[in-house]
């Protein structure tokens, strides 16, 4: 079952955790009208997450409709296409 919740409500339910030593980079955002795809890279000293976000504009506001991610260990060589 899926739930739709405004981002402010979702963030408001979160509790502070420990600070992570990482960097975050939005590598690209590609959009057409009311749909978009974004790549976000979150790099830690031991690994990196690659997040792909599917966004939709609903009632004038952008929401994350779906998220796909993968993890790369530090020093791991990824195959090229």
């Amino acid at each position: 079952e899926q739930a739709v919740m405004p981002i402010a409500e979702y963030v408001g339910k979160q509790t502070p955790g420990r600070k992570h030593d990482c960097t975050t980079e939005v590598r690209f955002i590609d959009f057409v009208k009311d749909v978009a795809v974004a790549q976000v890279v979150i790099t830690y000293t031991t690994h990196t997450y690659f997040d792909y976000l599917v966004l939709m504009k609903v009632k004038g506001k952008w929401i994350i409709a779906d998220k796909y991610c993968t993890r790369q260990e530090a020093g791991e060589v990824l195959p090229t296409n």
Side-chain angles (χ1 to χ4, degrees):
E1 182 177 323
Q2 290 183 322
V4 177
M5 172 184 311
I7 191 69
E9 182 180 343
Y10 174 78
V11 170
K13 290 183 175 193
Q14 305 306 306
T15 57
R18 66 181 174 90
K19 183 173 177 0
H20 294 280
D21 185 20
C22 64
T23 59
T24 303
E25 174 188 5
V26 177
R27 289 241 175 118
F28 68 79
I29 300 174
D30 185 22
F31 69 94
V32 176
K33 293 179 66 175
D34 56 356
V35 295
V37 176
Q39 182 191 53
V40 179
V41 179
I42 306 161
T43 303
Y44 295 84
T45 56
T46 57
H47 60 280
T48 300
Y49 288 110
F50 295 86
D51 292 353
Y52 293 86
L53 308 174
V54 178
L55 302 116
M56 295 173 47
K57 196 171 193 178
V58 177
K59 297 181 182 177
K61 296 186 182 225
W62 287 99
I63 64 165
I64 298 171
D66 212 345
K67 173 185 167 184
Y68 299 92
C69 66
T70 191
R71 177 179 167 144
Q72 175 187 8
E73 299 303 319
E76 179 183 1
V77 177
L78 298 177
T80 58
N81 293 335

